[in-house]
Amino acid sequence: MGNRGMEELIPLVNKLQDAFSSIGQSCHLDLPQIAVVGGQSAGKSSVLENFVGRDFLPRGSGIVTRRPLILQLIFSKTEYAEFLHCKSKKFTDFDEVRQEIEAETDRVTGTNKGISPVPINLRVYSPHVLNLTLIDLPGITKVPVGDQPPDIEYQIKDMILQFISRESSLILAVTPANMDLANSDALKLAKEVDPQGLRTIGVITKLDLMDEGTDARDVLENKLLPLRRGYIGVVNRSQKDIEGKKDIRAALAAERKFFLSHPAYRHMADRMGTPHLQKTLNQQLTNHIRESLPALRSKLQSQLLSLEKEVEEYKNFRPDDPTRKTKALLQMVQQFGVDFEKRIEGSGDQVDTLELSGGARINRIFHERFPFELVKMEFDEKDLRREISYAIKNIHGVRTGLFTPDMAFEAIVKKQIVKLKEPSLKCVDLVVSELATVIKKCAEKLSSYPRLREETERIVTTYIREREGRTKDQILLLIDIEQSYINTNHEDFIGFANAQQRSTQLNKKRAIPNQVIRRGWLTINNISLMKGGSKEYWFVLTAESLSWYKDEEEKEKKYMLPLDNLKIRDVEKGFMSNKHVFAIFNTEQRNVYKDLRQIELACDSQEDVDSWKASFLRAGVYPEKDQAENEDGAQENTFSMDPQLERQVETIRNLVDSYVAIINKSIRDLMPKTIMHLMINNTKAFIHHELLAYLYSSADQSSLMEESADQAQRRDDMLRMYHALKEALNIIGDISTSTVSTPVPPPVDDTWLQSPSSHSPTPQRRPVSSVHPPGRPPAVRGPTPGPPMIPLPVGAATSSLPPPIPYRPGPQSVFANNDLFPAPPQIPSRPVRIPPGIPPGVPSRRPPAAPSRPTIIRPAEPSLLD
């Protein structure tokens, strides 16, 4: 016969496990482990066996359980057992399980009563059990026998405490009815780890072996020496019954008959016996399961809410419904257009905080990269002057010119305007590259339909390429327009009259406003380790100087470097460095900073390097020319100019500089406008108004809206997860309604059971003073406070003394002998005996007995000192 209460819980737990398994998760119920604690031969193994409903543990007199047995019950469709030390063997006969436990115990501890803390791990697979852990522990003993060590008592107590200290363990404190309950070591240990008594259940065994005329009624009614969860009495099979192969069913019937027929227990027979112990423990398991439900429910509900939005569109999903396909296609194309516009124009939702993207990168191209490319054209001063001198000489021919020819100005200006084509076309290429990246990003949401995504990317990219050609044609047209007519009447053009004073005015103008061009963090990369190594500073670039500070507050200035005679050169990135580096040096071979001929400035990205270079160009710090170009220029520039030619070159140089500045300003303004109008805005309009028509013309709707295998699998998994979560929540609701939690019993006055930290003496027994029903002799149960004892003298060794039990206050006395801790008294076999352990001079504390009946007084006998 198994544990019916446990079998009723199995379907509930299985339902929960199945529901969680269907969503790919494990249901962590963490059911409590049940540890059986008690004295030697108290019947612990029998109690454990009765709970499981199987015979499989060794029995006998003396210390039988000499190693902890960790019994893991595992729900399975077939019934068998296996040991951790011989996993390959499956035991289907539980008699063989018992023999293996005995053999494994003897293998480690020997055959002469030795003990070991090394546990035996036994797993029992059965369709009649829950996933539980039961622990059978060695009995508490005080006197070593056989091969047992002298400190056997403390070894066993430490071993027990290791297992019962866990908060989720239920403690069955087993005490035989024929021993003094107040001296129960099992209850003392349980009190030590469970001071509130919330997980301790007292089990009284051997009720059928009490002396005639005695019973444990007051204890079982929780009146004498109460526990918060009370006591349950059981009657186990005797050794004779076990040897006679009396099965558990017959033993339970005999136990039931005993409680119903005994006059002291018949009124509470329904609260006694192994079935009630099973019911109590099963109710604790039910309580634990119910306590776990709110956390499980909360976890499932949060997952369900996270799936709600995505599942909404799939709830009534039919893959072949053409209406759904049409609706999905329209929604996706519309969303694609919205996403494209948001990425270009910018929006507050879904902001990328890691890098620039979309419109921000295009803006950087317009206002940093393109101006940088334009400024780079202006630095070749020597070539420009040489070209101007050649143009003047060629225009004059064989004659020596007296006036500055305006044709030389136009020739040079037109040549400079033509140079604008390359950076302008490069700017368009950069924008097209960014637009292609934006299209790919926006198309990621179409990944559920690979054909639709592919066609959308192809159509939009083709359109962008088409617009790219038109945009480049328009930009080239703008440059040709500028080249076709040189407007020397422009309001910003200095004219011939002012050309001579141009350089002086520019120098004065530059010296007055010290405009800040850029601020930011840079790392000086080439400071030696002896001087502190590379360090990051806050740099401020103005029109006249480069300064760096300790931090952005700009209070502690480290150095200020004038920009005169400075140039920029590229530096290769170090092998172990992930920084991008450029250098500033002095063209006159002077030290730039301290003993450094150049300072290497490092940035985190190449984009930052390009941006800083553009800023330096605005400040008049240009890149150095290649060495080969310098040498070629030196060889070609062998002619010398007369003073008149030099003046003419200077005049035209200033005129060219003025007019090219006007053209650059115009181009810098028109380039972003042209690209925005002809390419970006047109692409936005195309996506909103024409993309859908192009998609319909490129392929039929069914092929466009054919789902990818991954998407179909994802949809099925999501719907299955959604329904499994709902089913799990329903199961939790069913368990909540089909099970009942029992409230925690109210606290009781258990001051009789003190923690082992106190060292009060053990009280002696006293007889029960209650009036007994006729025909039943008076019985003595439980400990009765006796005369108190004086405290131990200072310096006495107390660490090895057993935990005491509190006593009732009484008159002080001094014991004549040194036996401060009398052992639990034995049940008397005859009437009144005078206890020999009471010292002279202590008054007798006998309560009045029932009329005409002798009072039984139990003696307090000396025990062995630990």
Side-chain angles (χ1 to χ4, degrees):
M1 177 181 179
N3 185 337
R4 286 184 180 175
M6 187 191 294
E7 292 182 13
E8 290 172 2
L9 279 177
I10 289 171
L12 298 180
V13 176
N14 284 350
K15 280 184 180 179
L16 270 181
Q17 299 283 11
D18 291 343
F20 274 83
S21 297
S22 65
I23 59 177
Q25 299 180 12
S26 57
C27 179
H28 298 291
L29 284 177
D30 192 21
L31 291 176
Q33 63 184 17
I34 299 171
V36 185
V37 182
Q40 188 173 298
S41 297
K44 303 181 301 303
S45 298
S46 298
V47 169
L48 204 58
E49 269 189 348
N50 289 344
F51 177 71
V52 178
R54 292 287 184 276
D55 287 324
F56 61 93
L57 294 176
R59 304 292 186 78
S61 59
I63 184 165
V64 178
T65 304
R66 293 180 284 131
R67 290 176 61 184
L69 175 69
I70 300 177
L71 172 62
Q72 291 177 279
L73 304 180
I74 300 172
F75 178 81
S76 175
K77 292 182 180 179
T78 57
E79 188 169 58
Y80 64 93
E82 68 178 15
F83 289 90
L84 189 63
H85 60 270
C86 50
K87 270 190 173 181
S88 57
K89 185 175 180 181
K90 292 184 178 180
F91 295 82
T92 54
D93 185 352
F94 281 87
D95 286 336
E96 293 183 11
V97 172
R98 181 186 302 109
Q99 295 168 9
E100 180 63 30
I101 292 174
E102 293 173 347
E104 177 64 13
T105 300
D106 291 343
R107 186 180 68 81
V108 174
T109 63
T111 57
N112 194 17
K113 307 297 182 183
I115 68 161
S116 170
V118 180
I120 299 173
N121 288 273
L122 170 63
R123 290 180 177 177
V124 174
Y125 298 83
S126 172
H128 309 294
V129 298
L130 283 174
N131 292 335
L132 277 179
T133 300
L134 309 176
I135 303 172
D136 189 18
L137 295 165
I140 303 167
T141 185
K142 297 182 181 295
V143 181
V145 295
D147 293 336
Q148 295 173 357
D151 60 344
I152 178 73
E153 177 185 2
Y154 300 104
Q155 283 193 22
I156 292 179
K157 284 183 178 178
D158 289 343
M159 189 190 310
I160 292 172
L161 288 173
Q162 288 177 10
F163 288 97
I164 66 175
S165 297
R166 183 181 171 190
E167 286 297 321
S168 63
S169 64
L170 294 176
I171 305 169
L172 295 186
V174 180
T175 307
N178 56 4
M179 78 163 281
D180 188 357
L181 189 66
N183 290 327
S184 170
D185 290 314
L187 289 173
K188 292 176 188 176
L189 288 174
K191 177 72 173 177
E192 183 176 341
V193 297
D194 180 30
Q196 301 296 323
L198 294 174
R199 50 191 181 92
T200 303
I201 299 174
V203 180
I204 306 298
T205 59
K206 303 188 180 181
L207 290 168
D208 55 332
L209 301 182
M210 293 186 71
D211 287 348
E212 186 178 351
T214 62
D215 58 58
R217 175 178 175 177
D218 288 352
V219 172
L220 294 175
E221 288 180 344
N222 213 28
K223 293 179 181 177
L224 186 66
L225 312 177
L227 285 178
R228 189 165 188 172
R229 291 196 178 274
Y231 299 87
I232 298 173
V234 297
V235 176
N236 296 324
R237 290 174 294 173
S238 65
Q239 189 64 31
K240 182 180 178 181
D241 292 336
I242 295 168
E243 292 171 357
K245 302 295 183 182
K246 185 176 182 179
D247 66 4
I248 290 181
R249 183 188 297 272
L252 292 178
E255 180 187 52
R256 177 73 173 163
K257 182 179 178 182
F258 170 82
F259 284 114
L260 287 173
S261 62
H262 198 289
Y265 308 134
R266 64 177 58 158
H267 68 288
M268 52 180 171
D270 59 332
R271 292 181 283 111
M272 294 293 114
T274 299
H276 184 68
L277 176 60
Q278 289 180 344
K279 181 181 176 182
T280 302
L281 292 175
N282 289 331
Q283 184 59 54
Q284 295 305 310
L285 299 180
T286 303
N287 288 352
H288 183 86
I289 293 172
R290 286 178 61 87
E291 288 168 4
S292 304
L293 293 184
L296 294 176
R297 181 187 287 112
S298 175
K299 177 182 177 182
L300 294 179
Q301 285 175 339
S302 63
Q303 291 180 342
L304 194 64
L305 285 174
S306 66
L307 288 178
E308 281 284 359
K309 290 183 180 179
E310 294 184 58
V311 170
E312 191 63 36
E313 58 180 299
Y314 296 140
K315 280 186 179 177
N316 302 313
F317 184 81
R318 288 176 296 175
D320 299 325
D321 184 4
T323 307
R324 182 200 63 80
K325 289 186 176 181
T326 303
K327 181 180 178 181
L329 177 60
L330 292 173
Q331 287 177 340
M332 288 189 170
V333 171
Q334 184 180 9
Q335 186 61 43
F336 179 81
V338 170
D339 290 344
F340 180 80
E341 189 163 354
K342 280 185 177 180
R343 285 184 175 272
I344 297 299
E345 302 294 340
S347 73
D349 57 339
Q350 299 179 354
V351 177
D352 190 349
T353 58
L354 300 178
E355 62 177 358
L356 294 178
S357 61
R361 293 179 70 89
I362 293 174
N363 176 276
R364 191 168 187 172
I365 292 169
F366 287 160
H367 302 295
E368 287 189 11
R369 293 294 300 276
F370 181 57
F372 172 67
E373 298 295 332
L374 292 181
V375 172
K376 277 204 303 187
M377 296 165 37
E378 300 176 3
F379 72 89
D380 201 350
E381 185 71 20
K382 288 182 179 179
D383 284 350
L384 181 59
R385 287 183 175 274
R386 187 173 64 248
E387 288 174 6
I388 292 172
S389 67
Y390 286 161
I392 294 173
K393 286 182 176 181
N394 288 333
I395 289 172
H396 287 156
V398 296
R399 298 179 300 275
T400 301
L402 299 176
F403 304 101
T404 303
D406 56 354
M407 290 179 63
F409 162 71
E410 283 197 17
I412 297 299
V413 165
K414 287 180 179 179
K415 189 172 181 181
Q416 293 300 314
I417 292 175
V418 170
K419 290 181 179 179
L420 293 175
K421 290 183 178 181
E422 184 180 350
S424 299
L425 295 179
K426 185 177 180 181
C427 178
V428 176
D429 291 337
L430 291 172
V431 172
V432 168
S433 175
E434 288 301 329
L435 285 178
T437 304
V438 170
I439 293 299
K440 284 189 176 181
K441 292 280 187 182
C442 294
E444 287 177 358
K445 290 188 178 179
L446 308 179
S447 56
S448 304
Y449 305 95
R451 181 75 188 280
L452 176 62
R453 176 179 180 175
E454 180 184 336
E455 285 298 312
T456 302
E457 285 190 26
R458 182 186 64 80
I459 291 170
V460 178
T461 304
T462 302
Y463 182 79
I464 290 175
R465 293 298 178 187
E466 178 189 336
R467 301 310 300 178
E468 176 190 4
R470 295 189 183 183
T471 305
K472 286 183 175 179
D473 291 343
Q474 182 64 29
I475 287 170
L476 292 176
L477 179 61
L478 285 175
I479 294 174
D480 289 341
I481 289 171
E482 293 288 354
Q483 193 179 9
S484 65
Y485 180 68
I486 308 301
N487 182 18
T488 56
N489 216 17
H490 194 281
E491 60 183 2
D492 293 333
F493 186 61
I494 58 172
F496 281 91
N498 299 322
Q500 293 293 338
Q501 291 84 23
R502 177 67 173 168
S503 344
T504 309
Q505 290 174 358
L506 285 177
N507 289 338
K508 288 182 179 178
K509 188 177 179 182
R510 181 182 175 186
I512 295 170
N514 193 11
Q515 178 190 4
V516 174
I517 297 174
R518 187 181 180 118
R519 287 183 170 92
W521 290 98
L522 287 172
T523 301
I524 300 181
N525 210 43
N526 58 330
I527 299 177
S528 64
L529 291 175
M530 297 295 292
K531 298 181 180 179
S534 301
K535 196 168 183 182
E536 197 172 28
Y537 293 102
W538 179 259
F539 279 76
V540 177
L541 175 64
T542 68
E544 293 184 344
S545 64
L546 176 68
S547 305
W548 53 93
Y549 299 82
K550 181 181 178 182
D551 52 41
E552 61 265 32
E553 295 181 1
E554 298 182 13
K555 292 181 179 178
E556 186 179 339
K557 182 183 285 190
K558 294 294 184 180
Y559 196 75
M560 186 180 76
L561 178 65
L563 299 183
D564 298 333
N565 300 319
L566 293 185
K567 283 198 173 185
I568 297 173
R569 66 162 58 115
D570 292 324
V571 177
E572 290 186 5
K573 188 167 67 170
F575 177 69
M576 297 297 292
S577 173
N578 57 357
K579 297 255 185 192
H580 298 263
V581 187
F582 67 99
I584 297 175
F585 68 98
N586 193 298
T587 56
E588 297 180 354
Q589 302 300 314
R590 295 179 181 176
N591 290 345
V592 177
Y593 173 59
K594 296 185 178 178
D595 58 344
L596 299 176
R597 285 297 177 92
Q598 69 177 25
I599 54 172
E600 296 179 4
L601 302 177
C603 305
D604 291 331
S605 67
Q606 186 59 42
E607 288 184 353
D608 290 338
V609 170
D610 294 340
S611 182
W612 272 101
K613 284 182 179 178
S615 299
F616 275 107
L617 287 173
R618 287 173 57 197
V621 180
Y622 299 108
E624 71 168 336
K625 292 183 62 177
D626 292 339
Q627 191 65 28
E629 292 181 8
N630 287 334
E631 291 174 359
D632 294 343
Q635 290 173 2
E636 293 176 8
N637 194 15
T638 55
F639 67 93
S640 59
M641 291 189 289
D642 57 56
Q644 181 181 354
L645 181 60
E646 283 187 10
R647 286 195 301 271
Q648 292 176 351
V649 169
E650 182 66 25
T651 300
I652 292 180
R653 172 67 185 88
N654 291 336
L655 291 172
V656 170
D657 191 44
S658 173
Y659 196 81
V660 169
I662 295 171
I663 300 299
N664 284 352
K665 183 177 180 182
S666 176
I667 292 296
R668 275 205 309 267
D669 182 56
L670 285 174
M671 272 291 296
K673 294 177 181 178
T674 305
I675 293 174
M676 282 298 298
H677 175 68
L678 292 178
M679 186 181 298
I680 297 176
N681 289 345
N682 271 276
T683 303
K684 285 194 293 186
F686 173 80
I687 291 172
H688 281 300
H689 303 303
E690 299 181 47
L691 175 59
L692 191 61
Y694 274 83
L695 285 170
Y696 273 118
S697 64
S698 67
D700 62 288
Q701 176 181 303
S702 59
S703 63
L704 281 175
M705 299 306 293
E706 186 175 343
E707 279 187 310
S708 66
D710 291 342
Q711 172 63 15
Q713 182 66 37
R714 179 175 175 273
R715 186 189 67 250
D716 293 342
D717 290 345
M718 188 180 298
L719 288 173
R720 185 168 61 251
M721 174 79 76
Y722 179 78
H723 293 303
L725 286 170
K726 294 192 75 172
E727 178 65 21
L729 285 171
N730 290 335
I731 290 172
I732 288 177
D734 292 342
I735 294 176
S736 297
T737 55
S738 62
T739 57
V740 179
S741 289
T742 55
V744 178
V748 296
D749 181 15
D750 59 357
T751 53
W752 64 274
L753 186 62
Q754 283 189 350
S755 173
S757 59
S758 170
H759 293 287
S760 304
T762 306
Q764 297 181 1
R765 287 184 178 234
R766 66 174 177 83
V768 178
S769 60
S770 58
V771 179
H772 302 280
R776 183 158 61 95
V780 178
R781 290 178 297 282
T784 305
M789 300 181 183
I790 61 170
L792 290 175
V794 178
T798 60
S799 60
S800 63
L801 296 179
I805 304 296
Y807 57 89
R808 180 185 301 175
Q812 299 291 327
S813 66
V814 179
F815 280 78
N817 55 19
N818 292 328
D819 188 4
L820 301 180
F821 294 90
Q826 302 297 318
I827 296 177
S829 59
R830 58 180 181 272
V832 181
R833 290 174 56 194
I834 304 300
I838 300 178
V842 178
S844 175
R845 296 172 47 86
R846 300 178 186 172
S852 72
R853 296 184 204 167
T855 302
I856 299 174
I857 298 178
R858 300 190 179 227
E861 299 175 0
S863 65
L864 294 173
L865 285 174
D866 294 325

